[in-house]
Amino acid sequence: MLNQLTISELVAKLAKREVSSRVATQACLDQIQRVDGRIRAFISYDAANALAQADAADQAIAGGATHAERPLLGVPVAIKDVIAVKGQPLNCASKILGNFVSPYDATVIEKLKAAGAVVFGRLNMDEYAMGSSTENSAFQVTRNPWDTTRVPGGSSGGSAAAVAADECIAALGSDTGGSIRQPAALCGCVGMKPSYGRVSRYGLVAYASSLDQIGCFGKEVGDAATVLEVLSGVDPRDSTSVPQPVPHFAAGLAGNIKGLKLGLPKEYMIGGLEPEVKAAVDKAVKQLEKLGAEILEISLPHTDYAVATYYIIATAEASANLARFDGIRYGARVDGADPMELYGKTRGAGFGAEVKRRIILGTYVLSSGYYDAYYLRAQKVRTLIRNDFLKAFEKVDVIVTPTSPAVAWKLGEMADDPLQMYLMDIFTISCNLAGICGISVPCGFTQKPKLPIGLQLLGKPFGEEMILKVAHAYEQSTGWHREKPPGNG
Ligand code: GLN
């Protein structure tokens, strides 16, 4: 079935004109019809618009356009509901945006369109990307395709579930503290978080601006490399994007990993790590060793402070970023007798419980009297965490860890315990605090029930080529990524 293909498989067929983008896009739409009642990855999608884009791609191919020039020509890619697509709803899975429709394309969307992708759908997420299970969506609860009584992870749970359930070929997400890598791990697909500054954030609704990055989900590492290359590059509309040359990531996958040094952080072997996750990661490390890599133990001494540091900085930035949603300029409004009452009523009705919790927490850590004790101190610890990584990367090329301490948990299991949920981010958030890049690749399954396990590879700032290469070598030597959830067809 065409919707199950990887980008490279689909592109090969499109280029030979064996299939059309219309038929491939229709196959994705059919799969959504078939399975999304169960999975609920999509908040909405515009089938007619997707097919019109597919037709345009088919015409371009008929007119001689090549995939060398436009690498995603005719490939259906679905989008997390936090990235602006012109003429499409933009809700961040929140009620507060009402029936807001984006008047412009995010830079990454312009780039996808220029590369020929069929950009479609609004994928479910935790409201404003705050969460690790996608249960904080104001619209619906997305289910894990491997077991629909379980969470898909979050906050990009819709993106991960849609790719895993073959409802699209690839997807975009955003990662502030793990929101691409963790759901990729829990749903059994590949999730790539680029280094801070690699990809423009213009048109990404900000959660925590110093941590947010847009990245991608794919069915194999090569696909993540292809999409990342399209997304990457400096953008005058995002002053934090960095003018680094963009490597040809897909071409960089070839070759072996003999002699590369991989570091295992001793601080990551925590008590809460599920035994089957540990066993799978241990096995993956042995496999990497077999492929010729050298394994070294390293230390990231400030790991213990990462969760606390992250939840101070992320909430502080969120409290400022979300101040703009006040019922005046965007989305829904609840009227009041005066502006203060209007703000209060609009925000009270529009934001969900987790978003409110974070705005309150973030406002508190920034308030005078507490600023020095919390926010300022967290910024200092952030520097220590970044220095831990930079020091480790003097000795090793790539750091290897589990992506998540746990496999997909039951829906509702942690809904009443936010702190427990925050602790699930232990392996992913340091990467954002340090501004480095990370990828999650499938590395096995638990026995009963059969649930995916993810391996995380962390690289130096702008070291995407290296982690993609190691991830690819591992993936190709194991083939875990080829397993499909039950019911995919
Ligand atoms: N789970 C983390 C949080 O809730 C990370 C979310 C994200 O990366 N957007 O903040």
Side-chain angles (χ1 to χ4, degrees):
M1 289 203 310
L2 295 176
N3 55 303
Q4 297 195 327
L5 299 181
T6 62
I7 293 176
S8 58
E9 289 165 347
L10 177 57
V11 159
K13 289 187 189 295
L14 289 167
K16 280 192 252 159
R17 315 218 188 145
E18 265 171 37
V19 299
S20 65
S21 173
R22 171 171 268 267
V23 174
T25 303
Q26 188 62 53
C28 292
L29 296 171
D30 290 347
Q31 181 75 346
I32 296 172
Q33 281 287 319
R34 217 166 63 78
V35 305
D36 210 56
R38 214 160 37 84
I39 308 294
R40 301 184 200 173
F42 285 84
I43 296 174
S44 67
Y45 60 95
D46 182 342
N49 179 282
L51 291 170
Q53 292 180 63
D55 288 342
D58 287 330
Q59 270 172 24
I61 294 170
T66 69
H67 288 92
E69 300 153 4
R70 304 181 72 193
L72 298 175
L73 192 54
V75 178
V77 179
I79 310 297
K80 184 180 182 180
D81 191 27
V82 70
I83 299 172
V85 178
K86 188 174 178 173
Q88 298 294 320
L90 174 58
N91 288 97
C92 308
S94 180
K95 281 194 291 200
I96 204 165
L97 277 147
N99 52 11
F100 184 76
V101 170
S102 174
Y104 71 99
D105 276 334
T107 297
V108 290
I109 300 299
E110 282 181 354
K111 286 177 175 250
L112 284 182
K113 288 180 176 173
V118 173
V119 172
F120 81 107
R122 306 302 301 167
L123 291 165
N124 199 29
M125 55 185 277
D126 285 301
E127 184 176 3
Y128 282 99
M130 297 175 184
S132 308
S133 68
T134 312
E135 291 166 297
N136 296 332
S137 165
F139 293 101
Q140 62 204 29
V141 174
T142 298
R143 281 84 186 280
N144 192 306
W146 290 89
D147 177 347
T148 51
T149 67
R150 291 176 186 267
V151 301
S155 66
S156 316
S159 306
V163 169
D166 290 320
E167 295 172 89
C168 54
I169 305 297
L172 294 196
S174 63
D175 190 313
T176 305
S179 278
I180 291 175
R181 291 158 288 153
Q182 185 259 19
L186 269 50
C187 290
C189 54
V190 175
M192 173 80 209
K193 186 216 94 85
S195 310
Y196 190 76
R198 175 63 93 183
V199 174
S200 168
R201 291 182 296 112
Y202 179 78
L204 168 70
V205 179
Y207 161 17
S209 314
S210 77
L211 301 160
D212 298 338
Q213 268 294 284
I214 294 171
C216 52
F217 292 83
K219 298 177 194 189
E220 61 175 20
V221 174
D223 287 3
T226 302
V227 178
L228 178 65
E229 194 176 325
V230 169
L231 303 181
S232 294
V234 67
D235 177 9
R237 292 173 297 190
D238 172 6
S239 59
T240 64
S241 66
V242 176
Q244 279 273 338
V246 179
H248 187 10
F249 290 121
L253 299 176
N256 63 52
I257 60 166
K258 283 206 180 79
L260 288 183
K261 293 193 172 69
L262 310 185
L264 296 181
K266 62 176 185 215
E267 291 82 3
Y268 280 36
M269 289 302 136
I270 55 167
L273 186 56
E274 285 181 6
E276 284 185 277
V277 173
K278 182 175 184 324
V281 170
D282 285 346
K283 228 175 128 190
V285 169
K286 290 227 168 68
Q287 178 65 20
L288 288 163
E289 210 168 5
K290 251 186 23 212
L291 295 172
E294 188 186 332
I295 312 293
L296 301 169
E297 188 182 81
I298 57 159
S299 175
L300 299 169
H302 296 92
T303 299
D304 267 0
Y305 305 102
V307 173
T309 304
Y310 170 85
Y311 278 96
I312 290 171
I313 293 173
T315 56
E317 294 184 14
S319 73
N321 277 326
L322 270 60
R324 74 191 67 170
F325 302 103
D326 56 7
I328 304 295
R329 281 162 295 184
Y330 313 97
R333 174 185 300 173
V334 183
D335 275 321
D338 54 56
M340 285 311 280
E341 196 183 311
L342 182 152
Y343 298 151
K345 282 190 169 166
T346 299
R347 289 164 68 83
F351 288 136
E354 184 61 28
V355 174
K356 285 178 187 159
R357 179 170 15 249
R358 298 204 185 186
I359 291 173
I360 292 168
L361 203 60
T363 307
Y364 176 78
V365 298
L366 287 175
S367 59
S368 70
Y370 295 102
Y371 182 93
D372 288 359
Y374 295 108
Y375 184 69
L376 199 63
R377 184 151 310 184
Q379 292 289 19
K380 290 179 180 167
V381 179
R382 180 178 187 174
T383 302
L384 297 174
I385 290 170
R386 178 169 163 92
N387 288 345
D388 282 356
F389 279 98
L390 298 182
K391 215 165 140 209
F393 284 126
E394 287 172 9
K395 284 204 298 199
V396 297
D397 300 296
V398 170
I399 294 173
V400 182
T401 82
T403 305
S404 165
V407 292
W409 55 90
K410 288 268 187 192
L411 291 162
E413 195 178 318
M414 278 186 235
D416 301 329
D417 192 347
L419 187 58
Q420 180 66 19
M421 187 97 81
Y422 298 170
L423 290 170
M424 287 292 135
D425 299 337
I426 174 81
F427 298 138
T428 48
I429 52 185
S430 298
C431 169
N432 304 71
L433 288 167
I436 61 176
C437 56
I439 189 169
S440 179
V441 277
C443 74
F445 293 87
T446 54
Q447 292 278 321
K448 263 193 191 139
K450 183 178 179 182
L451 298 169
I453 300 170
L455 181 74
Q456 178 175 242
L457 304 171
L458 300 173
K460 294 174 193 173
F462 301 97
E464 285 85 359
E465 241 183 326
M466 179 68 83
I467 56 172
L468 285 164
K469 187 188 175 90
V470 176
H472 181 253
Y474 171 76
E475 170 192 86
Q476 294 301 312
S477 73
T478 56
W480 295 115
H481 65 295
R482 280 192 279 273
E483 306 238 358
K484 294 286 184 191
N488 262 28

